Amino acid sequence: MNAPHSRAWDSQRQSRARRLERAASLGLGKQIPAERIIDLLEAVIQPGDRVCLEGNNQKQADFLAESLADCDPARLNHLSMVQSVLALPSHVDLFERGLANRLDFSFSGPQGARLAKLVQEQRIEIGAIHTYLELFGRYFLDLTPNIALIAAQAADAEGNLYLGPNTEDTPAIVEATAFKGGIVIAQVNERLNKLPRVDVPADWVDFTVQAPRPNYIEPLFTRDPAQITEVQVLMAMMAIKGIYAEYGVKRLNHGIGFDTAAIELLLPTYAAELGLKGKICTHWALNPHPTLIPAIESGFVESVHCFGSEVGMDNYVAARSDVFFIGADGSMRSNRAFSQTAGLYACDMFIGSTLQMDLAGNSSTATLGRITGFGGAPNMGSDPHGRRHASPAWLKAGREAAGPNAIRGRKLVVQMVETFREHMAPVFVEELDAWQLQKVMGADLPPIMIYGDDVSHIVTEEGIANLLLCRTPEEREQAIRGVAGFTPVGMARDKAMVENLRDRGIIRRPEDLGIDPRLATRDLLAARSVKDLVRWSGGLYAPPSRFRNW
Amino acid sequence: METLDFQFASAPVSRSAHTALCGVVGSGNLEILVQAGDQPATCQVSIKTSARGFGATWQAVLATFTTSHPAGGTRIAINDMGATPAVVSLRLAQALAEYRGGEQ
């Protein structure tokens, strides 16, 4: 018998040792002065490396992102970037300056147009657009980073990290990198002798650098109640009475739009008047939405686990430790991977909004000229076939879809949209822009955010369509047309068939739900301004200055 | 500015108020005044709107409204500043509910 072919089994560890040696030879210790960060990055990163740049739609490792973009493309090139969100100008600079040429990501909100341009010029190769959980999952399989550039609140002398309330993606990124021969570099806002708590132990962290300014955080989940319209109030009334109450939805996630903010602000008023306190909306996978404060203060909410934190909410959250997940140190620990898991498997409902929906119920936020991605919506907004535990809402939905002998339940996946967006752009369309975007990107699939077969209900100002009860593709199409209002898709409905669907309760109008349109005014909102939210919080909520007008 | 006039057949409404006024003339919003008309099975509508070229959409919104709600015997005057069909439909429902009084 031949001896097995000999090979080195620790090449990753050896590579890591050589990189650390190069840094040491430049006189770089574990604590890096800000002005030497480029020396460090050029010493430990190699051409072709897979680099994870931390940044979600909240916390950003912005100093490390800018520093990497300022490295010499002659030394660092062909980098393969893996990152949750492409949000900062420096993220796109990496590709424009020739440092990186491949990208696997989840979301690219503000940089969507620049990204689309780079794709058209073939200066960037997109591996895939993922959901957050999918991308985190691949960090532990085939997209494990060689280098992780992360953001922390504070480090101590040994390199232990305190992440603060915006824990977010950091634990997942660090674990994947540190245990597979990679190198972890953290930018920190401050150095402390003693940390409030240790979120990442020092022996998982190779270098820390104190950034010249605190890492950027976007207040993405702050919705000013002053901007909520009466149509949104009407839709929120329909959702509460026609879906939340009927299914007894206790465990849920909300999207970030004004539509769902209106629902949050109707819980202490309209929902309370309907006797729903304690019967709906008790357990949440949700960021600390300021618009949830009145519902929390009214005793509606038992528990909230957060993906990240929200600017200005830290003191309020810390003072409500019965509701939020607070450490012994007194500050919140969020965790995007765990909260997404809760959203996928433990929630009975996701309700959110979209920019376009087609006649099969497929929805997409991708429009021509912008590559935006999905973030976590597809995890929350999908019916997980891996779920096994039952709840009343899940069972009722499952039986509506498959009859009384259904062997599984269904998650409620609700899309809530006004039929027209701004500038009279119809939300309901014959064909999603995503199909043309697929061609432009040369992608395997169109970037569909929520698949139509996962959608259970559509709420518009015209009414609620229950797709679970539709028995044929034709019924489904007419149910969608039947709530599509005066868009061309809505106007082309088969009126007789829509009336039949209404008789069967598949489509329900506000009057069918017993909703008095005169109540649909802003007076029904528990808070009508950001100042009202501050008042509800007993002064604990400290909104960012751009939301203060008093 | 564009002026539009429509007439729709609609089931007679029982009124309890003399007039009903709903909404405000502001961007994306509209003001609706409902008064008694002279034909019990007809709803007469006159619209002044800042958004030109949406006559067909108004026709469709009002036709749906007068079919799904009893609005016969009314004259409805609308001052519009670019409200979406969603806002128009909600305001019409609010104004008519006001005109009819407590019943829905």
Side-chain angles (χ1 to χ4, degrees), chain A residues 28-289:
Chain A
L28 296 167
K30 203 165 175 177
Q31 297 185 21
I32 307 296
E35 64 275 11
R36 295 209 64 192
I37 187 65
I38 288 178
D39 293 339
L40 176 75
L41 295 174
E42 290 183 348
V44 300
I45 305 177
Q46 294 177 183
D49 271 356
R50 188 176 296 121
V51 178
C52 179
L53 188 48
E54 179 170 22
N56 208 290
N57 43 23
Q58 297 171 286
K59 171 172 84 168
Q60 296 292 341
D62 51 355
F63 174 63
L64 291 175
E66 287 159 23
S67 302
L68 184 61
D70 285 340
C71 285
D72 182 358
R75 296 190 62 172
L76 297 188
N77 47 59
H78 294 89
L79 299 180
S80 176
M81 304 305 298
V82 290
Q83 57 191 91
S84 291
V85 176
L86 206 81
L88 303 175
S90 55
H91 294 159
V92 186
D93 292 344
L94 289 175
F95 298 94
E96 287 187 347
R97 295 179 189 173
L99 288 136
N101 65 344
R102 189 178 166 86
L103 173 67
D104 281 276
F105 74 117
S106 287
F107 186 71
S108 77
Q111 301 298 330
R114 265 177 92 192
L115 182 60
K117 193 163 167 282
L118 282 169
V119 168
Q120 273 172 342
E121 293 168 1
Q122 299 187 319
R123 292 168 69 187
I124 188 168
E125 185 189 342
I126 292 183
I129 311 178
H130 306 74
T131 76
Y132 292 139
L133 272 183
E134 215 180 351
L135 188 63
F136 298 159
R138 292 192 71 187
Y139 290 170
F140 293 91
L141 284 170
D142 58 338
L143 289 181
T144 306
N146 302 107
I147 306 284
L149 306 177
I150 61 164
Q153 173 59 34
D156 66 12
E158 289 174 70
N160 293 300
L161 300 181
Y162 168 58
L163 299 173
N166 284 89
T167 327
E168 301 191 28
D169 309 18
T170 318
I173 296 169
V174 172
E175 181 144 352
T177 309
F179 290 86
K180 203 67 174 44
I183 288 179
V184 176
I185 304 172
Q187 74 169 68
V188 302
N189 295 341
E190 55 184 345
R191 295 196 182 280
L192 297 174
N193 289 328
K194 174 106 183 78
L195 298 179
R197 66 170 193 245
V198 174
D199 286 305
V200 180
D203 57 355
W204 303 8
V205 180
D206 298 293
F207 301 99
T208 59
V209 55
Q210 186 173 356
R213 57 179 191 286
N215 63 266
Y216 180 71
I217 301 183
E218 169 77 14
L220 190 70
F221 297 89
T222 300
R223 290 287 169 270
D224 184 346
Q227 292 189 44
I228 293 173
T229 66
E230 296 188 345
V231 172
Q232 286 163 339
V233 173
L234 175 71
M235 286 164 52
M237 293 167 77
M238 283 194 268
I240 288 171
K241 202 165 180 189
I243 300 175
Y244 289 60
E246 296 223 346
Y247 293 86
V249 176
K250 288 190 157 184
R251 307 177 306 167
L252 72 164
N253 168 261
H254 272 188
I256 66 171
F258 284 98
D259 300 318
T260 41
I263 295 175
E264 290 155 23
L265 291 171
L266 252 49
L267 294 177
T269 57
Y270 187 65
E273 282 160 26
L274 294 174
L276 296 173
K277 185 172 157 179
K279 295 181 180 153
I280 63 167
C281 300
T282 52
H283 295 77
W284 298 73
L286 194 79
N287 282 304
H289 288 189

Side-chain angles (χ1 to χ4, degrees), chain B residues 76-100:
Chain B
I76 298 180
I78 295 176
N79 291 316
D80 170 59
M81 285 211 18
T84 61
V87 177
V88 176
S89 301
L90 174 61
R91 286 273 176 271
L92 283 167
Q94 288 173 332
L96 189 71
E98 201 64 44
Y99 186 74
R100 295 165 72 184

Side-chain angles (χ1 to χ4, degrees), chain A residues 230 420 461 486 491 516-518 520, chain B residues 60-61 86 91 94 98 101-102:
Chain A
E230 296 188 345
F420 287 98
E461 74 275 5
F486 299 95
M491 305 265 261
D516 183 346
R518 286 173 300 178
Chain B
V61 171
R91 286 273 176 271
Q94 288 173 332
E98 201 64 44

Side-chain angles (χ1 to χ4, degrees), chain B residues 6-10 39 41-45 65-66 71-76:
Chain B
F6 298 102
Q7 281 204 7
F8 299 92
S10 185
Q39 301 165 59
T42 302
C43 173
Q44 298 168 282
V45 186
F65 176 74
T66 49
T74 62
R75 259 185 319 125
I76 298 180

Side-chain angles (χ1 to χ4, degrees), chain A residues 146-441:
Chain A
N146 302 107
I147 306 284
L149 306 177
I150 61 164
Q153 173 59 34
D156 66 12
E158 289 174 70
N160 293 300
L161 300 181
Y162 168 58
L163 299 173
N166 284 89
T167 327
E168 301 191 28
D169 309 18
T170 318
I173 296 169
V174 172
E175 181 144 352
T177 309
F179 290 86
K180 203 67 174 44
I183 288 179
V184 176
I185 304 172
Q187 74 169 68
V188 302
N189 295 341
E190 55 184 345
R191 295 196 182 280
L192 297 174
N193 289 328
K194 174 106 183 78
L195 298 179
R197 66 170 193 245
V198 174
D199 286 305
V200 180
D203 57 355
W204 303 8
V205 180
D206 298 293
F207 301 99
T208 59
V209 55
Q210 186 173 356
R213 57 179 191 286
N215 63 266
Y216 180 71
I217 301 183
E218 169 77 14
L220 190 70
F221 297 89
T222 300
R223 290 287 169 270
D224 184 346
Q227 292 189 44
I228 293 173
T229 66
E230 296 188 345
V231 172
Q232 286 163 339
V233 173
L234 175 71
M235 286 164 52
M237 293 167 77
M238 283 194 268
I240 288 171
K241 202 165 180 189
I243 300 175
Y244 289 60
E246 296 223 346
Y247 293 86
V249 176
K250 288 190 157 184
R251 307 177 306 167
L252 72 164
N253 168 261
H254 272 188
I256 66 171
F258 284 98
D259 300 318
T260 41
I263 295 175
E264 290 155 23
L265 291 171
L266 252 49
L267 294 177
T269 57
Y270 187 65
E273 282 160 26
L274 294 174
L276 296 173
K277 185 172 157 179
K279 295 181 180 153
I280 63 167
C281 300
T282 52
H283 295 77
W284 298 73
L286 194 79
N287 282 304
H289 288 189
T291 42
L292 196 64
I293 293 172
I296 294 171
E297 295 304 301
S298 304
F300 251 85
V301 177
E302 284 179 37
S303 175
V304 182
H305 186 262
C306 301
F307 310 88
S309 189
E310 181 66 4
V311 180
M313 285 289 283
D314 292 345
N315 289 341
Y316 174 76
V317 164
R320 298 289 179 272
S321 57
D322 280 353
V323 173
F324 293 94
F325 286 73
I326 309 294
D329 65 301
S331 66
M332 184 173 76
R333 179 164 154 125
S334 54
N335 188 310
R336 192 166 323 273
F338 289 154
S339 217
Q340 288 284 333
T341 304
L344 176 60
Y345 279 112
C347 281
D348 292 320
M349 180 170 92
F350 163 77
I351 178 166
S353 202
T354 186
L355 295 183
Q356 285 190 333
M357 179 178 285
D358 70 15
L359 295 174
N362 297 309
S363 65
S364 168
T365 55
T367 49
L368 284 182
R370 287 180 60 81
I371 298 176
T372 51
F374 320 116
N379 292 137
M380 255 78 72
S382 65
D383 180 42
H385 286 191
R387 176 171 168 175
R388 289 297 179 272
H389 73 285
S391 68
W394 188 75
L395 286 175
K396 178 175 163 69
R399 287 168 184 164
E400 283 186 351
N405 299 321
I407 57 163
R408 66 157 71 99
R410 270 288 301 253
K411 187 194 277 178
L412 296 164
V413 176
V414 183
Q415 292 276 276
M416 190 174 186
V417 290
E418 275 181 54
T419 54
F420 287 98
R421 304 200 308 271
E422 63 274 20
H423 311 304
M424 288 291 277
V427 168
F428 293 90
V429 292
E430 298 275 344
E431 185 186 280
L432 300 174
D433 284 359
W435 290 98
Q436 288 186 54
L437 205 56
Q438 179 198 0
K439 288 185 199 127
V440 174
M441 288 170 62

